[in-house]
Amino acid sequence: MLKGIGASGGYGIGDAVIIEDANLDYSGVRYLGAESEKARLQNAVDEFIKETEKMIESLKVGTGEKESEILEGHLTMLNDPFMLSQMNDLIDTGSVAEAAADTVCRMFIDMFSGVDDEMMRQRASDVKDIKDSLLELLLGVKKTDISAVKKGSILIAKDFTPSMTSQINKENVSAIITEVGGVTSHSAILARAMGLPAALSVKGATESIKNGDKLIVDGFRGEVIVNPEREAISEYEKKQEAYIKEKESLNVYFNKPTVTKSGEKKYVYGNIGKASDAESVLQNGGEGIGLFRTEFLFMDRTTAPTEQEQFEAYSTVAKIMGEKEVIIRTLDIGGDKAIDYLSIEKEENPFLGHRAIRYCLDNKPLFKTQLRALLRAAAFGNIKIMLPLVTEVEEIRAAKEIIAECEAELKAEGLQYKSVPVGIMVETPSAAIISDILAKEAAFFSIGTNDLTGYTMAVDRGNAKVAHLYDAFKPSVLRAIEMTIRNAKAAGIPVGMCGEAAANPRLIPMLVEWGLDEFSVTPSAILQTRKTICEL
Ligand code: PEP
Ligand code: MG
């Protein structure tokens, strides 16, 4: 049996599909002489062109006109004799084909991403695609198409990036296993949102499991049984059945208000990553949306979503939720949430770097596009804006100024919009410590325990070696939470929690005691959270 961290409850029984981490390390490749290296490069280029032409054809038959245009752009670039001759020149000076392709592509990526023009930056991400494909062909590594796996698959990868997770079709996937990542990594959050059992940080999983192995995944205990005996399979089938029954027993809480035994009214909301998830919040009995992670709208694409696209996403959620509150967080990128086309500079310490509200305040056009879309969508429901990673009061003031500027523009343009409350995430020790001051500027607080725990304990939320320190129950984290709630109450503003700890049945009694108003959890945990609160 393999053991990791149970990161998303439930049991999965199925067949292993290993998602190769495209290891593009070519440091062990030996130089075979200029002629051979050039021939290898030319073969890879020819193969790339052949594959790309095939994809363009099939996209044209289907509906992917835009994608086929992008791929045609790739062909034009690679057919440019200058690019190839530069690679061949490097080979003449002793580079292996992989290094030649990598170096020349990187040169183009740097050149394009340094230009302050959307189209050019788009080119940079095109060249990155070309680079990765060429390296895969040269090294003979092939990526698995996650969206095409067959029913009953259990996916195993070193880690799932958000873009990999977003390709998962939950009808066909029974569970996921990773070698790294903890309970609050984004793979864990997305697995819970999809209701998929997940065992994370399972050491050596990609080595000890082979494609096609029969697997049992226990998403509570983080255990994986490889090629189990028949008895184990029937034991887990029984457990699976009991688990489904237990979930059904929560249904009595579906239409119940969230009220403690002593009569205190609380709210259980859902966290979402895309507009259509709003349906699952309602299907799970959610009373609102406490966190819409808008960064997912910006992923898996080559350019930022336009104001109209964002407006459609936000207004869709607002309409689905009707009068219910919808808290939408402005773009929270950086750290583990990279977006290639935004050309975020590589930083020594991305988690302490130019991310979230810091990045948005410095990239005003991008920020304004999102804010205008939010204000316009607000006319269709009960939207509130939430700023991520706030550390000082000036950030709220600066954001509010930009919001006022957007409102003035919308008014002048005669477009329909609505002013909305602007609140903040309390997810840095700084914000918690000055929460009395921030409460004067923020319309509400939502405590982000995922980051608050990491920053307070000075621990990387995805590093298994220090996972014992990554715990919202540490006294310093509890003190930060309590202080934030107390300061919100004193200022008379609502305070919620949208970090994973909001669904922790051991923490909920303390949160209720301290006066937390709203608990925003992954949709599949809404009813259990309500049950825990109602039983207090
Ligand atoms: C948090 O930090 O607690 C949070 C909810 O935000 P995210 O997990 O998206 O960083
Ligand atoms: Mg956070």
Side-chain angles (χ1 to χ4, degrees), residues 254-285:
F254 187 80
N255 280 321
K256 266 199 175 176
T258 314
V259 180
T260 64
K261 282 200 173 127
S262 57
E264 267 181 88
K265 172 75 186 115
K266 302 290 174 191
Y267 296 87
V268 184
Y269 287 5
N271 292 345
I272 64 168
K274 56 181 189 305
S276 56
D277 294 344
E279 301 278 6
S280 87
V281 172
L282 290 182
Q283 281 156 13
N284 282 286

Side-chain angles (χ1 to χ4, degrees), residues 110-370:
D110 289 347
M111 187 176 82
F112 287 136
S113 49
V115 183
D116 195 15
D117 174 276
E118 188 57 45
M119 280 295 287
M120 285 297 166
R121 285 206 297 264
Q122 157 71 37
R123 288 276 160 274
S125 89
D126 288 343
V127 183
K128 186 175 177 305
D129 276 358
I130 296 176
K131 172 176 81 64
D132 289 350
S133 304
L134 282 180
L135 287 178
E136 278 164 24
L137 286 165
L138 284 165
L139 294 163
V141 289
K142 207 77 203 97
K143 274 187 286 189
T144 317
D145 182 358
I146 296 180
S147 60
V149 299
K150 64 179 200 314
K151 203 167 171 58
S153 295
I154 294 186
L155 305 183
I156 304 128
K158 282 232 154 50
D159 194 10
F160 285 87
T161 61
S163 78
M164 284 162 81
T165 325
S166 65
Q167 292 175 46
I168 293 177
N169 172 356
K170 69 177 179 192
E171 299 307 316
N172 293 342
V173 175
S174 306
I176 64 167
I177 302 171
T178 70
E179 288 195 335
V180 297
V183 233
T184 61
S185 65
H186 282 85
S187 350
I189 291 169
L190 287 164
R192 284 194 290 274
M194 288 189 282
L196 279 183
L200 305 189
S201 278
V202 181
K203 295 279 153 309
T206 55
E207 275 125 49
S208 38
I209 300 172
K210 291 188 300 302
N211 269 320
D213 275 349
K214 189 97 192 148
L215 300 178
I216 294 177
V217 175
D218 181 334
F220 299 102
R221 306 166 72 93
E223 289 170 358
V224 180
I225 307 176
V226 187
N227 294 322
E229 303 286 332
R230 192 178 290 271
E231 295 82 63
I233 297 185
S234 57
E235 178 195 333
Y236 274 88
E237 277 170 349
K238 279 197 198 105
K239 282 191 179 185
Q240 206 172 21
E241 227 170 87
Y243 173 64
I244 292 167
K245 270 216 186 97
E246 187 194 310
K247 267 175 75 175
E248 282 166 3
S249 77
L250 288 173
N251 284 344
V252 295
Y253 288 93
F254 187 80
N255 280 321
K256 266 199 175 176
T258 314
V259 180
T260 64
K261 282 200 173 127
S262 57
E264 267 181 88
K265 172 75 186 115
K266 302 290 174 191
Y267 296 87
V268 184
Y269 287 5
N271 292 345
I272 64 168
K274 56 181 189 305
S276 56
D277 294 344
E279 301 278 6
S280 87
V281 172
L282 290 182
Q283 281 156 13
N284 282 286
E287 293 163 275
I289 286 168
L291 170 63
F292 181 175
R293 290 183 164 96
T294 59
E295 56 273 15
F296 289 104
L297 297 178
F298 287 70
M299 289 173 182
D300 278 329
R301 32 186 310 146
T302 47
T303 52
T306 60
E307 179 181 319
Q308 187 59 24
E309 282 174 273
Q310 292 190 58
F311 164 74
E312 274 157 27
Y314 307 146
S315 57
T316 299
V317 177
K319 286 180 203 160
I320 292 174
M321 297 306 288
E323 287 176 0
K324 295 187 163 73
E325 201 167 88
V326 176
I327 300 179
I328 305 185
R329 177 171 77 185
T330 59
L331 189 57
D332 181 11
I333 40 141
D336 57 344
K337 305 166 193 167
I339 294 177
D340 284 346
Y341 60 82
L342 291 182
S343 317
I344 300 170
E345 274 170 42
K346 230 179 156 39
E347 297 175 309
E348 287 279 340
N349 284 304
F351 283 92
L352 304 181
H354 195 221
R355 51 174 303 203
I357 187 67
R358 305 166 182 181
Y359 180 88
C360 286
L361 289 174
D362 288 341
N363 287 276
K364 211 168 147 187
L366 180 89
F367 196 26
K368 279 179 75 172
T369 303
Q370 179 169 44

